Amino acid sequence: MTVLEVLHSAPNCGSCPIRHNAVCARCETEELAALDAIKFYRSFEAGQTLIWAGDRMDFVASVVSGVATLTQVMEDGRTQTVGLLFPSDFVGRPGRDRAPYNVIATTDLLMCCFRKKPFEEMMARTPHIGQRLLEMTLDELDAAREWMLLLGRKTAREKIASLLAIVGRRDAALHLRKPQGKLVFDLPLTREAMADYLGLTLETVSRQISALKRDGVIELEGKRHVTVPDYNVLLEEAGDDADGGFFG
Amino acid sequence: MTVLEVLHSAPNCGSCPIRHNAVCARCETEELAALDAIKFYRSFEAGQTLIWAGDRMDFVASVVSGVATLTQVMEDGRTQTVGLLFPSDFVGRPGRDRAPYNVIATTDLLMCCFRKKPFEEMMARTPHIGQRLLEMTLDELDAAREWMLLLGRKTAREKIASLLAIVGRRDAALHLRKPQGKLVFDLPLTREAMADYLGLTLETVSRQISALKRDGVIELEGKRHVTVPDYNVLLEEAGDDADGGFFG
DNA sequence: CTGTGGATTTGATATAGGTCAAGGATTCCC
DNA sequence: GGGAATCCTTGACCTATATCAAATCCACAG
């Protein structure tokens, strides 16, 4: 995969609590060439922590394949995941050099990285990139706030349905399809990782998944392979507005 | 208060779930003059909804005095507040013209507004402003994610203590002081508004405030006037890291 | 095939916080 | 002063979810 491909894939997936992406979908060829010169790839295994909260971060990066989480941990071990990163999502914050969260690969993961300093210099020369970054950050903020509603007010069943809807939507986006009708995808998270994202325990996650299965909202093959017979039914279970959020 | 004063006051209050502010603390005098030409003031009464989710927003604005909330409401009425706006905080998103949340004045409120189109034109001419806006948006994102930890993992008592710590810190910032030792301030929120922000019911909020009072963590005079004998004790009750978050 | 360890499910029980209901305090208005 | 509205507190009880404890499943090493 070339940088050009990474940067030009910019699916906008909706109101998910998930980062959107592509650094600059409109930038000039010569700028892409410049980016190309400062890029490198890194791969990680499922379960690996790529970055620890407080670490110095001297690069920014895009997810090429796989899924990662952004996670906060309290002193006594209570854990809350605050973001999910799918392919095309972006990590890193120009102008800040400490990572505020643990970044953990939940599946095998390939990242396309750019050294931070040259990236920032390029940003300074290229207004489009800064604009795009503001755009992306606003999307992330909307996603975080949508998740605040989920964490503060939704029931366990609604939380699970919401998460499944988002994973289904992002997976559909990877295949350049709109999420509708029947969806089939693999869960990129363990029950525990789902619990950490939803503010639940893994037992509750397991029970609610069983309940959704019993009620025919989803079908399961093994523990990770999910079939959603009707995406709209799933959205109703999620308690969202009809279209699944502000972005449709 | 002049625009210059509004724009140049940029307290950075820490890891609160609260927006920070000042559009551009470093911009040139002539740019301030340009901003001055497109500003206007609006005032609102406590309880008034300034903006409804879905409304067209043709301005951006800074809080001059008072407090407002950003609030999401589900179809069945469940309500979650996703942001608190104190003086110097910013509302509005260049490049987007629909408001995603209700904005509600919780006290009498004065806003300093700028018409959006000229503001955006100015942003395009002045890289500092765009940079500052990205900076502010990243702060908001951090605050939102800190709040996700609160909503997903903290107990009711910790939630209340966290909110009191944040209000105390922002209030101290208004007086250009560091929060420490004894703090005295007024709560700008009803019990119900606190509940909506913390993902609780108003009864639970009331009970936990009574408990913190009983345990000497706070003192109350009337329902709104709070004395915190020792800010560090409050932070411990909040379950945060010693210094109260990433920003100190 | 067999043991081992992680991930998951399921059951029994406990509890934090929600719900429903009643009553106080404060303010405002007449 | 006397409603009456709003906001807040407190009590009694209930329930969704957490906690603790076994099973079960499955992948993988030997």
Side-chain angles (χ1 to χ4, degrees), chain A residues 35-100:
Chain A
L35 270 176
D36 227 23
I38 62 172
K39 78 149 195 269
F40 57 98
Y41 290 98
R42 294 183 62 184
S43 63
F44 303 89
E45 288 180 10
Q48 210 179 338
T49 297
L50 338 187
I51 301 161
W52 294 94
D55 276 3
R56 175 161 228 102
M57 269 195 76
D58 52 1
F59 60 92
V60 299
S62 236
V63 176
V64 177
S65 65
V67 173
T69 60
L70 304 180
T71 299
Q72 272 185 292
V73 183
M74 290 172 72
E75 284 172 345
D76 61 6
R78 281 177 283 176
T79 298
Q80 179 66 47
T81 293
V82 297
L84 258 198
L85 301 170
F86 281 87
S88 88
D89 286 335
F90 186 81
V91 209
R93 7 184 79 197
R96 310 197 167 189
D97 55 27
R98 296 281 167 187

Side-chain angles (χ1 to χ4, degrees), chain B residues 72-92:
Chain B
Q72 272 185 292
V73 182
M74 291 172 71
E75 285 172 345
D76 61 6
R78 281 177 283 177
T79 298
Q80 179 66 47
T81 292
V82 298
L84 258 197
L85 301 170
F86 281 87
S88 88
D89 287 335
F90 187 80
V91 209

Side-chain angles (χ1 to χ4, degrees), chain A residues 98-145:
Chain A
R98 296 281 167 187
Y101 314 107
N102 297 332
V103 183
I104 304 171
T106 65
T107 66
D108 290 345
L109 185 70
L110 180 62
M111 306 285 290
C112 175
C113 307
F114 305 90
R115 282 185 299 118
K116 205 170 92 184
K117 200 154 171 235
F119 185 88
E120 283 169 356
E121 286 161 6
M122 216 184 106
M123 254 184 77
R125 288 197 308 274
T126 314
H128 282 156
I129 294 186
Q131 269 174 36
R132 178 75 192 124
L133 213 52
L134 176 57
E135 203 59 34
M136 285 165 48
T137 307
L138 287 170
D139 282 344
E140 286 189 277
L141 184 56
D142 283 335
R145 285 172 166 168

Side-chain angles (χ1 to χ4, degrees), chain B residues 116-246:
Chain B
K116 205 170 93 186
K117 199 150 170 241
F119 185 88
E120 284 169 355
E121 287 160 7
M122 215 185 106
M123 253 184 77
R125 288 198 309 275
T126 315
H128 282 156
I129 294 186
Q131 269 173 37
R132 177 75 192 125
L133 215 52
L134 177 57
E135 202 59 34
M136 286 165 47
T137 307
L138 286 170
D139 282 343
E140 286 190 278
L141 184 56
D142 284 335
R145 285 173 166 168
E146 174 101 3
W147 217 244
M148 286 171 66
L149 175 63
L150 176 142
L151 291 169
R153 295 304 186 195
K154 287 189 179 180
T155 64
R157 169 185 268 243
E158 288 170 334
K159 287 178 175 182
I160 298 286
S162 299
L163 179 56
L164 292 172
I166 280 159
V167 173
R169 187 192 308 150
R170 291 304 306 257
D171 180 78
L174 290 185
H175 303 96
L176 304 175
R177 283 197 263 95
K178 280 229 152 147
Q180 56 186 321
K182 177 172 165 176
L183 298 181
V184 180
F185 56 87
D186 284 311
L187 278 173
L189 301 173
T190 64
R191 300 293 187 258
E192 186 179 23
M194 293 173 70
D196 286 342
Y197 197 21
L198 298 171
L200 298 170
T201 60
L202 72 160
E203 293 95 331
T204 298
V205 169
S206 180
R207 276 187 251 271
Q208 294 297 334
I209 288 179
S210 297
L212 288 173
K213 190 167 116 187
R214 170 172 45 69
D215 299 343
V217 180
I218 60 172
E219 291 153 26
L220 272 183
E221 195 178 326
K223 289 137 201 292
R224 297 290 194 94
H225 192 73
V226 179
T227 301
V228 175
D230 185 343
Y231 182 65
N232 285 318
V233 171
L234 187 62
L235 287 183
E236 267 172 42
E237 290 288 349
D240 286 331
D241 296 352
D243 65 343
F246 298 125

Side-chain angles (χ1 to χ4, degrees), chain A residues 155-156 199-201 203-204 207 223:
Chain A
T155 65
L200 298 171
T201 59
E203 293 94 331
T204 298
R207 277 187 248 271
K223 288 139 201 293

Side-chain angles (χ1 to χ4, degrees), chain A residues 84-230:
Chain A
L84 258 198
L85 301 170
F86 281 87
S88 88
D89 286 335
F90 186 81
V91 209
R93 7 184 79 197
R96 310 197 167 189
D97 55 27
R98 296 281 167 187
Y101 314 107
N102 297 332
V103 183
I104 304 171
T106 65
T107 66
D108 290 345
L109 185 70
L110 180 62
M111 306 285 290
C112 175
C113 307
F114 305 90
R115 282 185 299 118
K116 205 170 92 184
K117 200 154 171 235
F119 185 88
E120 283 169 356
E121 286 161 6
M122 216 184 106
M123 254 184 77
R125 288 197 308 274
T126 314
H128 282 156
I129 294 186
Q131 269 174 36
R132 178 75 192 124
L133 213 52
L134 176 57
E135 203 59 34
M136 285 165 48
T137 307
L138 287 170
D139 282 344
E140 286 189 277
L141 184 56
D142 283 335
R145 285 172 166 168
E146 174 100 4
W147 218 243
M148 286 170 66
L149 174 64
L150 175 142
L151 290 170
R153 295 303 186 196
K154 287 190 178 179
T155 65
R157 169 184 269 242
E158 287 170 334
K159 287 178 176 183
I160 298 286
S162 299
L163 179 56
L164 292 172
I166 282 159
V167 173
R169 187 191 310 150
R170 290 304 305 258
D171 180 79
L174 290 185
H175 304 97
L176 304 175
R177 284 196 262 96
K178 280 229 154 151
Q180 55 186 320
K182 175 172 165 176
L183 299 181
V184 179
F185 56 88
D186 285 311
L187 279 172
L189 301 173
T190 64
R191 301 292 186 260
E192 186 179 22
M194 294 172 70
D196 285 342
Y197 197 22
L198 299 171
L200 298 171
T201 59
L202 63 123
E203 293 94 331
T204 298
V205 169
S206 180
R207 277 187 248 271
Q208 294 299 334
I209 287 179
S210 298
L212 287 174
K213 190 167 116 186
R214 168 173 46 69
D215 299 344
V217 180
I218 59 173
E219 291 153 24
L220 271 183
E221 194 178 325
K223 288 139 201 293
R224 297 290 195 94
H225 192 73
V226 179
T227 301
V228 176
D230 185 342

